[in-house]
Amino acid sequence: MAKLIDGKEIAKDIRESVKQSVAEYREQGVEPRLAVVLVGDDPASVWYAKSKKKAAEKIDIAYDLYELAADTSEEDVLALVDKLNADKAIHGIMVELPLPDQIDSDKVMARVDALKDVDGVNPINRGNILQGSEGLFPATPESCIECVLSTGVELKGKKAVIVGRGETVGKPLVFMLLKHHPTITICHSRTADLAAEVKQADIVIAAVGKAGLITGDMIKPGAVVVDAGVNEVDGGGYVGDVDFESAEKVAGFISPVPGGVGSLTTVLLFRNLIKGMRMQAKA
Ligand code: NAP
């Protein structure tokens, strides 16, 4: 039976270290402050924005929520981002996605100051991932890596398979994971034999959005299995991309959904806020 990768437990340690940094800034008279821009009333975005507020309050990070109507123009959103970029009291900016159709998300993401880009969406930070340079990197792939590292399994020379090449998780994860020296295979909707690719992996990370895509018979005995997928189920709740019941019988380590990757993302966003503050001080 696989050992559980407990996202909440991993988050605790990171939260303590962020809390400590926040306290040190406050002692110096600096109030770490995150600005979140929410355009419209997409239920998931509203939920994420509000849950971040609660989490920020718990560790003493000041949190400003800018709620804009769904019909706000692109020009007005960009003007707000410019204002937040220029405001020295704001250390991190996050624009909740998706944005309404009249707004070009790429344009807005590119406008967020790269040193305040806690969500790691600005093309400069995407480039930093590719170059292996210092930068602010997206929380979900970072969370997948923290989940793998928490097992203590060395990645160097191991075979890792990432299932999914989406912009949010799979694609940035490839180069973030590569820093730890595994040999990586990337699978997607046109992979000819997904089961065969997954079967040879010491580390499997699923980031697709299809419940039950990866089953126990596809997994190499003892492998580390990290599930970033989030799929709603009829009657409420959600599951990952991995069929947990069959996979836990074969894997060495497995992250559950919920309680795995998703439990870490908010605290990693706050860790980015602190990292960004240090980078801003040097700039
Ligand atoms: P995305 O952009 O929709 O990408 C999905 C990827 O899955 C694509 O690369 C697609 O291949 C691939 N795919 C689709 N069907 C497949 C199949 N049958 N076999 C293999 N690959 C297949 O998704 P995303 O935004 O990266 O998100 C991925 C998952 O992570 C979603 O479930 C999302 O909800 C979840 N997520 C979780 C968190 C969290 O905090 N836990 C945060 C963000 C996202 P093609 O490229 O060929 O189309």
Side-chain angles (χ1 to χ4, degrees):
M1 214 58 148
K3 284 193 189 142
L4 204 66
I5 300 173
D6 185 343
K8 287 185 186 148
E9 208 45 53
I10 305 167
K12 257 191 212 165
D13 288 346
I14 301 173
R15 192 175 300 112
E16 273 317 303
S17 118
V18 173
K19 214 171 162 179
Q20 175 72 31
S21 302
V22 171
E24 283 165 20
Y25 272 116
R26 284 188 174 270
E27 272 165 30
Q28 296 161 27
V30 181
E31 186 179 46
R33 183 174 290 273
L34 175 66
V36 173
V37 179
L38 176 64
V39 188
D41 52 8
D42 173 70
S45 299
V46 171
W47 187 85
Y48 283 129
K50 304 239 151 112
S51 74
K52 275 197 282 279
K53 183 176 192 311
K54 268 196 222 149
E57 279 165 0
K58 272 193 195 154
I59 53 174
D60 230 4
I61 287 175
Y63 182 98
D64 298 338
L65 179 60
Y66 293 82
E67 291 180 88
L68 305 179
D71 62 356
T72 304
S73 68
E74 181 180 288
E75 205 185 359
D76 285 350
V77 174
L78 291 172
L80 174 59
V81 170
D82 286 342
K83 190 177 134 225
L84 299 172
N85 281 342
D87 187 342
K88 288 208 174 346
I90 305 275
H91 305 100
I93 303 167
M94 181 175 174
V95 180
E96 292 290 348
L97 298 174
L99 287 167
D101 290 347
Q102 75 277 13
I103 302 168
D104 180 344
S105 306
D106 288 347
K107 223 175 179 178
V108 174
M109 292 191 282
R111 196 72 155 249
V112 174
D113 184 329
L115 299 180
K116 296 189 178 183
D117 174 31
V118 289
D119 207 19
V121 292
N122 181 297
I124 295 175
N125 281 319
R126 290 291 156 131
N128 284 333
I129 296 176
L130 279 181
Q131 273 199 326
S133 309
E134 196 58 276
L136 298 178
F137 304 138
T140 307
E142 194 92 287
S143 172
C144 294
I145 293 175
E146 290 290 347
C147 284
V148 175
L149 295 179
S150 75
T151 66
V153 169
E154 188 171 11
L155 276 93
K156 190 164 67 180
K158 296 278 168 58
K159 284 192 176 165
V161 167
I162 296 173
V163 189
R165 56 176 170 182
E167 295 299 330
T168 323
V169 193
K171 205 181 271 181
L173 177 61
V174 175
F175 287 93
M176 291 164 69
L177 190 67
L178 200 56
K179 280 189 195 161
H180 299 273
H181 314 297
T183 301
I184 302 176
T185 301
I186 305 138
C187 297
H188 44 78
S189 67
R190 272 156 268 188
T191 296
D193 189 345
L194 181 66
E197 301 293 351
V198 171
K199 192 80 186 180
Q200 40 118 19
D202 304 300
I203 296 124
V204 182
I205 305 180
V208 174
K210 285 208 164 125
L213 180 69
I214 313 233
T215 47
D217 56 319
M218 295 161 76
I219 291 165
K220 179 175 170 179
V224 175
V225 179
V226 170
D227 193 352
V230 178
N231 308 290
E232 279 190 41
V233 287
D234 293 342
Y238 53 96
V239 295
D241 294 337
V242 178
D243 174 49
F244 189 85
E245 210 184 322
S246 60
E248 74 165 340
K249 296 191 175 92
V250 190
F253 297 85
I254 187 166
S255 73
V257 178
V261 171
S263 311
L264 276 167
T265 47
T266 302
V267 76
L268 291 174
L269 206 72
F270 297 151
R271 186 168 79 177
N272 265 349
L273 179 82
I274 299 298
K275 190 176 178 191
M277 289 177 80
R278 297 200 174 117
M279 290 162 66
Q280 288 156 37
K282 281 193 220 154

